[in-house]
Amino acid sequence: MNKQSVDHDVDIVVTNLQPMPAPTFDLVIRHARAATASDTFDTDIGIRDGRIVMLGADLPAGAREIDAGGRVVTPGGVDAHCHLDQPMAPPVRMADDFDTGTRAAACGGTTTVIPFAAQEKGQSLRAAVADYHHRAEGRAHVDYAFHLIVSDPTPQVLLHELPELIREGYTSFKIYMTYDDLKLDDGQILDVLAVAREHGAMAMIHAENADCIEWLTRRLEAAGRTAPRFHAHARPMLVEREATHRAISLAELVDVPILIVHVSGREAVEQIRWARAHGLKVYAETCPQYLFLTAADLGIDDSYHGAKCVCSPPPRDRQNQDVIWAGLDDGLFTVFSSDHAPFRYDAPEGKKPGGEEVAFRHIPNGIPGIETRLPLLYSEGVLAGRMTLGRFVELTATNPAKAYGLHPRKGTIAVGSDADLVIWDEREFVLDNSMLHHAVDYTPYAGQTLRAWPGMTLARGDVVWDGRSFHPRQGRGRFLACSTPSLMPRATPR
Ligand code: URP
Ligand code: ZN
Ligand code: ZN
């Protein structure tokens, strides 16, 4: 550097400008129509070491180049509610583990998954987390974080394990108000919410009234009404509405944000709108089954095929689908997740436990959807004109990353973010389970006309799906420790 004294009373520093070395990229994606939650813009995307390092027109050549040809490029999806290889009571077993589940995720455009490390009653939360790491280690094709499921909030859990785990990067947990092996009573929920408040974690709540469900189930059973379709009769909207309202009240008492998961229809939506109108931080999630299925999919007669669509809360009706679409468009919903809970239909470890067609009470709850989540919403949301591309990105990638402390590393297209990207192909076809990459023997969305599918998915700069073939590398997916959710206000001292 030369320092010249010019005719001024200050020194002017003149730098001998060397030509800047051309930036080097491992990969350049050319001619992308990039969409973030806030903007859509034409750009090349320069990628180095798995991260986006430059955006702009006419970037210098990369070691590899992909021409997006003006197609839409979105951030890879963040599926913030999916169940993979979650321990079940024998003989039931989930069909997808971290290998097949993340394979399906990648082929459907999802590059980050957040499944659940579930505590069994009597088990330490730490042991549940250690076991779940063991299940994931070396198997995942895309990055993953864990939510916790707290089913046994002992003093040891509340005072030590949970606060420590939150500090270590497990910054969200699910609370169940139903299912005998998982549910907490109101006092326990208050205790757990108080920990979320003190340590800045996000509490997700499954809101259904367990006692009402049990009472209705017994009456249905006594009347011989045990076919899959009666699952929906045992879980009417009222039981979801009551529990949603109670969850909101418990959160208000503790003064902590909550996120109500898998909201199914109008009555729960009304409770959430009421809470928001009263200034409460109540976030909400919905899932494809509440847009594309109805209770009729559980059967209009006593056929066992309805077991394929048994999930909780159950799908409702067309009017409720419209309410969910409206909430997706107008900001009521914060995230759109799959709630992928994969059980094979024709299998003794799946929907026919022990090989039997069982009463609805015993049918494993949950349906597959990790691979179809984004294409369904892109097709029927964006391309059918029900939501903007920005809102699609917000619901499927940006907000889930923010809600669970992964933003801006995940969920956006920005310099410094991971190069998790989807290049979209817009073409019409009819979905069939043979096209999918999960280990489940059906999709509830078979026969649905889709208008788009990922033409390419990149996970930290690696092509994992090229529109025809999956490119496996088990162990490519890394565990992500989560920060404090960026949707959270800072806790105020009481
Ligand atoms: O039926 C469902 N949703 N099964 C998965 C578990 C849950 O409650 O999310
Ligand atoms: Zn749930
Ligand atoms: Zn779930």
Side-chain angles (χ1 to χ4, degrees), residues 196-231:
R197 183 180 194 282
E198 191 178 340
H199 298 278
M202 178 64 86
M204 311 158 77
I205 304 197
H206 179 135
E208 287 185 298
N209 181 314
D211 287 348
C212 291
I213 294 167
E214 181 58 28
W215 187 81
L216 287 166
T217 300
R218 285 210 197 126
R219 284 171 72 97
L220 288 161
E221 286 173 344
R225 300 178 152 203
T226 58
R229 70 189 169 109
F230 292 109
H231 173 79

PDB file of all heavy atoms in Angstrom, residues 196-231:
ATOM      1  N   ALA A 196     -40.084 -24.370  28.653  1.00  0.00           N
ATOM      2  CA  ALA A 196     -39.953 -23.754  27.317  1.00  0.00           C
ATOM      3  C   ALA A 196     -39.781 -22.248  27.462  1.00  0.00           C
ATOM      4  O   ALA A 196     -38.958 -21.625  26.786  1.00  0.00           O
ATOM      5  CB  ALA A 196     -41.188 -24.061  26.472  1.00  0.00           C
ATOM      6  N   ARG A 197     -40.544 -21.649  28.349  1.00  0.00           N
ATOM      7  CA  ARG A 197     -40.459 -20.204  28.534  1.00  0.00           C
ATOM      8  C   ARG A 197     -39.091 -19.794  29.068  1.00  0.00           C
ATOM      9  O   ARG A 197     -38.450 -18.886  28.554  1.00  0.00           O
ATOM     10  CB  ARG A 197     -41.544 -19.751  29.516  1.00  0.00           C
ATOM     11  CG  ARG A 197     -41.569 -18.255  29.697  1.00  0.00           C
ATOM     12  CD  ARG A 197     -42.641 -17.851  30.676  1.00  0.00           C
ATOM     13  NE  ARG A 197     -42.868 -16.432  30.593  1.00  0.00           N
ATOM     14  CZ  ARG A 197     -42.097 -15.522  31.137  1.00  0.00           C
ATOM     15  NH1 ARG A 197     -41.022 -15.881  31.817  1.00  0.00           N
ATOM     16  NH2 ARG A 197     -42.364 -14.237  30.999  1.00  0.00           N
ATOM     17  N   GLU A 198     -38.648 -20.497  30.101  1.00  0.00           N
ATOM     18  CA  GLU A 198     -37.402 -20.094  30.747  1.00  0.00           C
ATOM     19  C   GLU A 198     -36.193 -20.278  29.838  1.00  0.00           C
ATOM     20  O   GLU A 198     -35.253 -19.491  29.875  1.00  0.00           O
ATOM     21  CB  GLU A 198     -37.226 -20.903  32.037  1.00  0.00           C
ATOM     22  CG  GLU A 198     -36.106 -20.346  32.898  1.00  0.00           C
ATOM     23  CD  GLU A 198     -35.951 -21.116  34.197  1.00  0.00           C
ATOM     24  OE1 GLU A 198     -36.907 -21.806  34.609  1.00  0.00           O
ATOM     25  OE2 GLU A 198     -34.840 -21.032  34.766  1.00  0.00           O
ATOM     26  N   HIS A 199     -36.250 -21.295  28.981  1.00  0.00           N
ATOM     27  CA  HIS A 199     -35.050 -21.611  28.190  1.00  0.00           C
ATOM     28  C   HIS A 199     -35.203 -21.320  26.703  1.00  0.00           C
ATOM     29  O   HIS A 199     -34.342 -21.675  25.902  1.00  0.00           O
ATOM     30  CB  HIS A 199     -34.669 -23.074  28.422  1.00  0.00           C
ATOM     31  CG  HIS A 199     -34.322 -23.342  29.851  1.00  0.00           C
ATOM     32  ND1 HIS A 199     -33.078 -23.071  30.387  1.00  0.00           N
ATOM     33  CD2 HIS A 199     -35.083 -23.795  30.873  1.00  0.00           C
ATOM     34  CE1 HIS A 199     -33.078 -23.374  31.676  1.00  0.00           C
ATOM     35  NE2 HIS A 199     -34.280 -23.814  31.997  1.00  0.00           N
ATOM     36  N   GLY A 200     -36.312 -20.678  26.317  1.00  0.00           N
ATOM     37  CA  GLY A 200     -36.462 -20.232  24.928  1.00  0.00           C
ATOM     38  C   GLY A 200     -36.652 -21.359  23.934  1.00  0.00           C
ATOM     39  O   GLY A 200     -36.089 -21.327  22.836  1.00  0.00           O
ATOM     40  N   ALA A 201     -37.428 -22.368  24.314  1.00  0.00           N
ATOM     41  CA  ALA A 201     -37.705 -23.470  23.379  1.00  0.00           C
ATOM     42  C   ALA A 201     -39.102 -23.314  22.793  1.00  0.00           C
ATOM     43  O   ALA A 201     -39.947 -22.616  23.344  1.00  0.00           O
ATOM     44  CB  ALA A 201     -37.596 -24.811  24.100  1.00  0.00           C
ATOM     45  N   MET A 202     -39.331 -23.975  21.675  1.00  0.00           N
ATOM     46  CA  MET A 202     -40.645 -23.948  21.028  1.00  0.00           C
ATOM     47  C   MET A 202     -41.418 -25.201  21.437  1.00  0.00           C
ATOM     48  O   MET A 202     -40.947 -26.319  21.226  1.00  0.00           O
ATOM     49  CB  MET A 202     -40.474 -23.904  19.507  1.00  0.00           C
ATOM     50  CG  MET A 202     -41.786 -23.915  18.745  1.00  0.00           C
ATOM     51  SD  MET A 202     -42.807 -22.455  19.037  1.00  0.00           S
ATOM     52  CE  MET A 202     -42.112 -21.327  17.818  1.00  0.00           C
ATOM     53  N   ALA A 203     -42.599 -24.991  22.018  1.00  0.00           N
ATOM     54  CA  ALA A 203     -43.448 -26.131  22.400  1.00  0.00           C
ATOM     55  C   ALA A 203     -44.483 -26.369  21.308  1.00  0.00           C
ATOM     56  O   ALA A 203     -45.235 -25.471  20.937  1.00  0.00           O
ATOM     57  CB  ALA A 203     -44.140 -25.844  23.726  1.00  0.00           C
ATOM     58  N   MET A 204     -44.483 -27.598  20.783  1.00  0.00           N
ATOM     59  CA  MET A 204     -45.463 -28.004  19.770  1.00  0.00           C
ATOM     60  C   MET A 204     -46.530 -28.819  20.497  1.00  0.00           C
ATOM     61  O   MET A 204     -46.187 -29.676  21.315  1.00  0.00           O
ATOM     62  CB  MET A 204     -44.784 -28.893  18.726  1.00  0.00           C
ATOM     63  CG  MET A 204     -43.487 -28.314  18.188  1.00  0.00           C
ATOM     64  SD  MET A 204     -42.433 -29.604  17.495  1.00  0.00           S
ATOM     65  CE  MET A 204     -43.247 -29.905  15.933  1.00  0.00           C
ATOM     66  N   ILE A 205     -47.770 -28.585  20.182  1.00  0.00           N
ATOM     67  CA  ILE A 205     -48.820 -29.287  20.929  1.00  0.00           C
ATOM     68  C   ILE A 205     -49.756 -30.056  19.994  1.00  0.00           C
ATOM     69  O   ILE A 205     -50.278 -29.499  19.025  1.00  0.00           O
ATOM     70  CB  ILE A 205     -49.625 -28.302  21.806  1.00  0.00           C
ATOM     71  CG1 ILE A 205     -48.650 -27.542  22.730  1.00  0.00           C
ATOM     72  CG2 ILE A 205     -50.700 -29.042  22.601  1.00  0.00           C
ATOM     73  CD1 ILE A 205     -49.255 -26.838  23.897  1.00  0.00           C
ATOM     74  N   HIS A 206     -49.925 -31.341  20.306  1.00  0.00           N
ATOM     75  CA  HIS A 206     -50.947 -32.181  19.646  1.00  0.00           C
ATOM     76  C   HIS A 206     -52.212 -32.027  20.477  1.00  0.00           C
ATOM     77  O   HIS A 206     -52.302 -32.548  21.593  1.00  0.00           O
ATOM     78  CB  HIS A 206     -50.483 -33.642  19.602  1.00  0.00           C
ATOM     79  CG  HIS A 206     -51.479 -34.565  18.973  1.00  0.00           C
ATOM     80  ND1 HIS A 206     -51.137 -35.518  18.051  1.00  0.00           N
ATOM     81  CD2 HIS A 206     -52.819 -34.697  19.133  1.00  0.00           C
ATOM     82  CE1 HIS A 206     -52.208 -36.197  17.667  1.00  0.00           C
ATOM     83  NE2 HIS A 206     -53.264 -35.708  18.325  1.00  0.00           N
ATOM     84  N   ALA A 207     -53.201 -31.323  19.916  1.00  0.00           N
ATOM     85  CA  ALA A 207     -54.375 -30.917  20.681  1.00  0.00           C
ATOM     86  C   ALA A 207     -55.590 -31.766  20.311  1.00  0.00           C
ATOM     87  O   ALA A 207     -56.268 -31.504  19.318  1.00  0.00           O
ATOM     88  CB  ALA A 207     -54.651 -29.431  20.435  1.00  0.00           C
ATOM     89  N   GLU A 208     -55.838 -32.787  21.109  1.00  0.00           N
ATOM     90  CA  GLU A 208     -57.083 -33.551  21.043  1.00  0.00           C
ATOM     91  C   GLU A 208     -57.393 -34.010  22.469  1.00  0.00           C
ATOM     92  O   GLU A 208     -56.475 -34.396  23.204  1.00  0.00           O
ATOM     93  CB  GLU A 208     -56.952 -34.783  20.142  1.00  0.00           C
ATOM     94  CG  GLU A 208     -56.902 -34.500  18.656  1.00  0.00           C
ATOM     95  CD  GLU A 208     -56.895 -35.795  17.851  1.00  0.00           C
ATOM     96  OE1 GLU A 208     -55.937 -36.589  18.010  1.00  0.00           O
ATOM     97  OE2 GLU A 208     -57.835 -36.023  17.086  1.00  0.00           O
ATOM     98  N   ASN A 209     -58.676 -33.969  22.836  1.00  0.00           N
ATOM     99  CA  ASN A 209     -59.079 -34.327  24.198  1.00  0.00           C
ATOM    100  C   ASN A 209     -59.143 -35.851  24.356  1.00  0.00           C
ATOM    101  O   ASN A 209     -60.031 -36.519  23.809  1.00  0.00           O
ATOM    102  CB  ASN A 209     -60.450 -33.694  24.496  1.00  0.00           C
ATOM    103  CG  ASN A 209     -60.933 -33.998  25.905  1.00  0.00           C
ATOM    104  OD1 ASN A 209     -60.864 -35.122  26.360  1.00  0.00           O
ATOM    105  ND2 ASN A 209     -61.427 -32.980  26.582  1.00  0.00           N
ATOM    106  N   ALA A 210     -58.200 -36.393  25.127  1.00  0.00           N
ATOM    107  CA  ALA A 210     -58.055 -37.846  25.254  1.00  0.00           C
ATOM    108  C   ALA A 210     -59.286 -38.501  25.886  1.00  0.00           C
ATOM    109  O   ALA A 210     -59.730 -39.563  25.434  1.00  0.00           O
ATOM    110  CB  ALA A 210     -56.818 -38.167  26.090  1.00  0.00           C
ATOM    111  N   ASP A 211     -59.853 -37.885  26.915  1.00  0.00           N
ATOM    112  CA  ASP A 211     -60.983 -38.516  27.611  1.00  0.00           C
ATOM    113  C   ASP A 211     -62.215 -38.578  26.710  1.00  0.00           C
ATOM    114  O   ASP A 211     -62.960 -39.565  26.717  1.00  0.00           O
ATOM    115  CB  ASP A 211     -61.316 -37.768  28.907  1.00  0.00           C
ATOM    116  CG  ASP A 211     -60.266 -38.031  29.984  1.00  0.00           C
ATOM    117  OD1 ASP A 211     -59.444 -38.948  29.810  1.00  0.00           O
ATOM    118  OD2 ASP A 211     -60.265 -37.311  30.997  1.00  0.00           O
ATOM    119  N   CYS A 212     -62.447 -37.510  25.953  1.00  0.00           N
ATOM    120  CA  CYS A 212     -63.589 -37.532  25.019  1.00  0.00           C
ATOM    121  C   CYS A 212     -63.401 -38.636  23.981  1.00  0.00           C
ATOM    122  O   CYS A 212     -64.354 -39.356  23.641  1.00  0.00           O
ATOM    123  CB  CYS A 212     -63.720 -36.194  24.285  1.00  0.00           C
ATOM    124  SG  CYS A 212     -64.232 -34.836  25.338  1.00  0.00           S
ATOM    125  N   ILE A 213     -62.180 -38.766  23.476  1.00  0.00           N
ATOM    126  CA  ILE A 213     -61.909 -39.796  22.454  1.00  0.00           C
ATOM    127  C   ILE A 213     -62.153 -41.187  23.038  1.00  0.00           C
ATOM    128  O   ILE A 213     -62.789 -42.041  22.415  1.00  0.00           O
ATOM    129  CB  ILE A 213     -60.460 -39.665  21.919  1.00  0.00           C
ATOM    130  CG1 ILE A 213     -60.295 -38.349  21.151  1.00  0.00           C
ATOM    131  CG2 ILE A 213     -60.091 -40.855  21.042  1.00  0.00           C
ATOM    132  CD1 ILE A 213     -58.853 -37.981  20.846  1.00  0.00           C
ATOM    133  N   GLU A 214     -61.679 -41.412  24.258  1.00  0.00           N
ATOM    134  CA  GLU A 214     -61.849 -42.723  24.896  1.00  0.00           C
ATOM    135  C   GLU A 214     -63.334 -43.017  25.120  1.00  0.00           C
ATOM    136  O   GLU A 214     -63.812 -44.124  24.842  1.00  0.00           O
ATOM    137  CB  GLU A 214     -61.071 -42.743  26.227  1.00  0.00           C
ATOM    138  CG  GLU A 214     -61.137 -44.050  26.992  1.00  0.00           C
ATOM    139  CD  GLU A 214     -60.618 -45.253  26.195  1.00  0.00           C
ATOM    140  OE1 GLU A 214     -59.754 -45.084  25.321  1.00  0.00           O
ATOM    141  OE2 GLU A 214     -61.116 -46.391  26.453  1.00  0.00           O
ATOM    142  N   TRP A 215     -64.067 -42.030  25.564  1.00  0.00           N
ATOM    143  CA  TRP A 215     -65.503 -42.202  25.833  1.00  0.00           C
ATOM    144  C   TRP A 215     -66.249 -42.539  24.541  1.00  0.00           C
ATOM    145  O   TRP A 215     -67.038 -43.481  24.482  1.00  0.00           O
ATOM    146  CB  TRP A 215     -66.027 -40.906  26.459  1.00  0.00           C
ATOM    147  CG  TRP A 215     -67.434 -40.979  26.952  1.00  0.00           C
ATOM    148  CD1 TRP A 215     -67.873 -41.502  28.129  1.00  0.00           C
ATOM    149  CD2 TRP A 215     -68.600 -40.484  26.274  1.00  0.00           C
ATOM    150  NE1 TRP A 215     -69.236 -41.364  28.235  1.00  0.00           N
ATOM    151  CE2 TRP A 215     -69.709 -40.748  27.111  1.00  0.00           C
ATOM    152  CE3 TRP A 215     -68.814 -39.845  25.045  1.00  0.00           C
ATOM    153  CZ2 TRP A 215     -71.015 -40.391  26.757  1.00  0.00           C
ATOM    154  CZ3 TRP A 215     -70.117 -39.493  24.696  1.00  0.00           C
ATOM    155  CH2 TRP A 215     -71.202 -39.770  25.547  1.00  0.00           C
ATOM    156  N   LEU A 216     -65.944 -41.783  23.487  1.00  0.00           N
ATOM    157  CA  LEU A 216     -66.597 -42.041  22.195  1.00  0.00           C
ATOM    158  C   LEU A 216     -66.187 -43.398  21.630  1.00  0.00           C
ATOM    159  O   LEU A 216     -67.013 -44.134  21.073  1.00  0.00           O
ATOM    160  CB  LEU A 216     -66.233 -40.932  21.198  1.00  0.00           C
ATOM    161  CG  LEU A 216     -66.905 -39.575  21.448  1.00  0.00           C
ATOM    162  CD1 LEU A 216     -66.225 -38.477  20.649  1.00  0.00           C
ATOM    163  CD2 LEU A 216     -68.395 -39.653  21.080  1.00  0.00           C
ATOM    164  N   THR A 217     -64.926 -43.739  21.783  1.00  0.00           N
ATOM    165  CA  THR A 217     -64.421 -45.012  21.242  1.00  0.00           C
ATOM    166  C   THR A 217     -65.141 -46.186  21.902  1.00  0.00           C
ATOM    167  O   THR A 217     -65.574 -47.136  21.229  1.00  0.00           O
ATOM    168  CB  THR A 217     -62.891 -45.118  21.452  1.00  0.00           C
ATOM    169  OG1 THR A 217     -62.271 -44.025  20.781  1.00  0.00           O
ATOM    170  CG2 THR A 217     -62.322 -46.416  20.896  1.00  0.00           C
ATOM    171  N   ARG A 218     -65.296 -46.123  23.209  1.00  0.00           N
ATOM    172  CA  ARG A 218     -65.977 -47.223  23.922  1.00  0.00           C
ATOM    173  C   ARG A 218     -67.417 -47.365  23.452  1.00  0.00           C
ATOM    174  O   ARG A 218     -67.913 -48.471  23.278  1.00  0.00           O
ATOM    175  CB  ARG A 218     -65.955 -46.950  25.427  1.00  0.00           C
ATOM    176  CG  ARG A 218     -64.602 -47.201  26.003  1.00  0.00           C
ATOM    177  CD  ARG A 218     -64.696 -47.662  27.456  1.00  0.00           C
ATOM    178  NE  ARG A 218     -63.377 -47.483  28.049  1.00  0.00           N
ATOM    179  CZ  ARG A 218     -63.140 -46.809  29.146  1.00  0.00           C
ATOM    180  NH1 ARG A 218     -64.124 -46.267  29.817  1.00  0.00           N
ATOM    181  NH2 ARG A 218     -61.910 -46.691  29.583  1.00  0.00           N
ATOM    182  N   ARG A 219     -68.077 -46.241  23.259  1.00  0.00           N
ATOM    183  CA  ARG A 219     -69.481 -46.316  22.800  1.00  0.00           C
ATOM    184  C   ARG A 219     -69.560 -46.906  21.394  1.00  0.00           C
ATOM    185  O   ARG A 219     -70.444 -47.707  21.092  1.00  0.00           O
ATOM    186  CB  ARG A 219     -70.110 -44.923  22.827  1.00  0.00           C
ATOM    187  CG  ARG A 219     -70.467 -44.471  24.241  1.00  0.00           C
ATOM    188  CD  ARG A 219     -70.874 -43.026  24.248  1.00  0.00           C
ATOM    189  NE  ARG A 219     -72.176 -42.830  23.629  1.00  0.00           N
ATOM    190  CZ  ARG A 219     -73.333 -42.737  24.304  1.00  0.00           C
ATOM    191  NH1 ARG A 219     -73.326 -42.821  25.623  1.00  0.00           N
ATOM    192  NH2 ARG A 219     -74.465 -42.546  23.672  1.00  0.00           N
ATOM    193  N   LEU A 220     -68.639 -46.492  20.529  1.00  0.00           N
ATOM    194  CA  LEU A 220     -68.622 -47.035  19.170  1.00  0.00           C
ATOM    195  C   LEU A 220     -68.347 -48.543  19.207  1.00  0.00           C
ATOM    196  O   LEU A 220     -69.013 -49.323  18.513  1.00  0.00           O
ATOM    197  CB  LEU A 220     -67.573 -46.309  18.317  1.00  0.00           C
ATOM    198  CG  LEU A 220     -67.935 -44.868  17.937  1.00  0.00           C
ATOM    199  CD1 LEU A 220     -66.705 -44.073  17.527  1.00  0.00           C
ATOM    200  CD2 LEU A 220     -68.964 -44.861  16.790  1.00  0.00           C
ATOM    201  N   GLU A 221     -67.397 -48.925  20.030  1.00  0.00           N
ATOM    202  CA  GLU A 221     -67.054 -50.359  20.127  1.00  0.00           C
ATOM    203  C   GLU A 221     -68.248 -51.157  20.650  1.00  0.00           C
ATOM    204  O   GLU A 221     -68.548 -52.247  20.148  1.00  0.00           O
ATOM    205  CB  GLU A 221     -65.836 -50.544  21.040  1.00  0.00           C
ATOM    206  CG  GLU A 221     -64.546 -50.108  20.359  1.00  0.00           C
ATOM    207  CD  GLU A 221     -63.333 -50.106  21.281  1.00  0.00           C
ATOM    208  OE1 GLU A 221     -63.508 -50.154  22.513  1.00  0.00           O
ATOM    209  OE2 GLU A 221     -62.207 -50.039  20.760  1.00  0.00           O
ATOM    210  N   ALA A 222     -68.931 -50.603  21.654  1.00  0.00           N
ATOM    211  CA  ALA A 222     -70.087 -51.303  22.231  1.00  0.00           C
ATOM    212  C   ALA A 222     -71.179 -51.497  21.179  1.00  0.00           C
ATOM    213  O   ALA A 222     -71.939 -52.469  21.226  1.00  0.00           O
ATOM    214  CB  ALA A 222     -70.624 -50.524  23.424  1.00  0.00           C
ATOM    215  N   ALA A 223     -71.226 -50.592  20.209  1.00  0.00           N
ATOM    216  CA  ALA A 223     -72.233 -50.689  19.140  1.00  0.00           C
ATOM    217  C   ALA A 223     -71.706 -51.476  17.943  1.00  0.00           C
ATOM    218  O   ALA A 223     -72.362 -51.533  16.890  1.00  0.00           O
ATOM    219  CB  ALA A 223     -72.649 -49.287  18.699  1.00  0.00           C
ATOM    220  N   GLY A 224     -70.514 -52.052  18.085  1.00  0.00           N
ATOM    221  CA  GLY A 224     -69.935 -52.860  17.008  1.00  0.00           C
ATOM    222  C   GLY A 224     -69.391 -52.028  15.861  1.00  0.00           C
ATOM    223  O   GLY A 224     -69.143 -52.542  14.768  1.00  0.00           O
ATOM    224  N   ARG A 225     -69.188 -50.746  16.103  1.00  0.00           N
ATOM    225  CA  ARG A 225     -68.703 -49.865  15.040  1.00  0.00           C
ATOM    226  C   ARG A 225     -67.188 -49.733  15.146  1.00  0.00           C
ATOM    227  O   ARG A 225     -66.676 -48.771  15.735  1.00  0.00           O
ATOM    228  CB  ARG A 225     -69.380 -48.511  15.155  1.00  0.00           C
ATOM    229  CG  ARG A 225     -70.871 -48.645  15.036  1.00  0.00           C
ATOM    230  CD  ARG A 225     -71.583 -47.354  15.199  1.00  0.00           C
ATOM    231  NE  ARG A 225     -72.834 -47.428  14.450  1.00  0.00           N
ATOM    232  CZ  ARG A 225     -73.506 -46.392  14.005  1.00  0.00           C
ATOM    233  NH1 ARG A 225     -73.074 -45.164  14.234  1.00  0.00           N
ATOM    234  NH2 ARG A 225     -74.613 -46.552  13.333  1.00  0.00           N
ATOM    235  N   THR A 226     -66.492 -50.687  14.576  1.00  0.00           N
ATOM    236  CA  THR A 226     -65.045 -50.734  14.759  1.00  0.00           C
ATOM    237  C   THR A 226     -64.261 -50.600  13.446  1.00  0.00           C
ATOM    238  O   THR A 226     -63.045 -50.689  13.438  1.00  0.00           O
ATOM    239  CB  THR A 226     -64.636 -52.056  15.446  1.00  0.00           C
ATOM    240  OG1 THR A 226     -65.089 -53.141  14.620  1.00  0.00           O
ATOM    241  CG2 THR A 226     -65.250 -52.167  16.832  1.00  0.00           C
ATOM    242  N   ALA A 227     -64.983 -50.416  12.324  1.00  0.00           N
ATOM    243  CA  ALA A 227     -64.295 -50.289  11.027  1.00  0.00           C
ATOM    244  C   ALA A 227     -63.463 -48.995  11.018  1.00  0.00           C
ATOM    245  O   ALA A 227     -63.731 -48.066  11.792  1.00  0.00           O
ATOM    246  CB  ALA A 227     -65.318 -50.258   9.898  1.00  0.00           C
ATOM    247  N   PRO A 228     -62.464 -48.925  10.124  1.00  0.00           N
ATOM    248  CA  PRO A 228     -61.586 -47.745  10.106  1.00  0.00           C
ATOM    249  C   PRO A 228     -62.333 -46.415  10.069  1.00  0.00           C
ATOM    250  O   PRO A 228     -61.919 -45.446  10.702  1.00  0.00           O
ATOM    251  CB  PRO A 228     -60.756 -47.944   8.833  1.00  0.00           C
ATOM    252  CG  PRO A 228     -60.711 -49.424   8.665  1.00  0.00           C
ATOM    253  CD  PRO A 228     -62.024 -49.951   9.163  1.00  0.00           C
ATOM    254  N   ARG A 229     -63.470 -46.369   9.350  1.00  0.00           N
ATOM    255  CA  ARG A 229     -64.134 -45.063   9.201  1.00  0.00           C
ATOM    256  C   ARG A 229     -64.601 -44.503  10.537  1.00  0.00           C
ATOM    257  O   ARG A 229     -64.757 -43.294  10.682  1.00  0.00           O
ATOM    258  CB  ARG A 229     -65.293 -45.158   8.222  1.00  0.00           C
ATOM    259  CG  ARG A 229     -66.489 -45.950   8.691  1.00  0.00           C
ATOM    260  CD  ARG A 229     -67.452 -46.141   7.524  1.00  0.00           C
ATOM    261  NE  ARG A 229     -68.474 -47.095   7.834  1.00  0.00           N
ATOM    262  CZ  ARG A 229     -69.757 -46.788   8.052  1.00  0.00           C
ATOM    263  NH1 ARG A 229     -70.133 -45.520   7.998  1.00  0.00           N
ATOM    264  NH2 ARG A 229     -70.625 -47.713   8.309  1.00  0.00           N
ATOM    265  N   PHE A 230     -64.780 -45.373  11.548  1.00  0.00           N
ATOM    266  CA  PHE A 230     -65.267 -44.867  12.828  1.00  0.00           C
ATOM    267  C   PHE A 230     -64.171 -44.144  13.625  1.00  0.00           C
ATOM    268  O   PHE A 230     -64.459 -43.472  14.612  1.00  0.00           O
ATOM    269  CB  PHE A 230     -65.920 -46.006  13.635  1.00  0.00           C
ATOM    270  CG  PHE A 230     -67.194 -46.465  12.975  1.00  0.00           C
ATOM    271  CD1 PHE A 230     -67.257 -47.707  12.350  1.00  0.00           C
ATOM    272  CD2 PHE A 230     -68.303 -45.633  12.917  1.00  0.00           C
ATOM    273  CE1 PHE A 230     -68.422 -48.115  11.708  1.00  0.00           C
ATOM    274  CE2 PHE A 230     -69.472 -46.034  12.275  1.00  0.00           C
ATOM    275  CZ  PHE A 230     -69.534 -47.277  11.664  1.00  0.00           C
ATOM    276  N   HIS A 231     -62.942 -44.280  13.165  1.00  0.00           N
ATOM    277  CA  HIS A 231     -61.853 -43.469  13.744  1.00  0.00           C
ATOM    278  C   HIS A 231     -62.231 -41.989  13.704  1.00  0.00           C
ATOM    279  O   HIS A 231     -62.015 -41.261  14.677  1.00  0.00           O
ATOM    280  CB  HIS A 231     -60.573 -43.720  12.943  1.00  0.00           C
ATOM    281  CG  HIS A 231     -59.421 -42.846  13.312  1.00  0.00           C
ATOM    282  ND1 HIS A 231     -58.625 -43.072  14.415  1.00  0.00           N
ATOM    283  CD2 HIS A 231     -58.941 -41.711  12.738  1.00  0.00           C
ATOM    284  CE1 HIS A 231     -57.699 -42.131  14.500  1.00  0.00           C
ATOM    285  NE2 HIS A 231     -57.857 -41.289  13.489  1.00  0.00           N
TER     286      HIS A 231
END
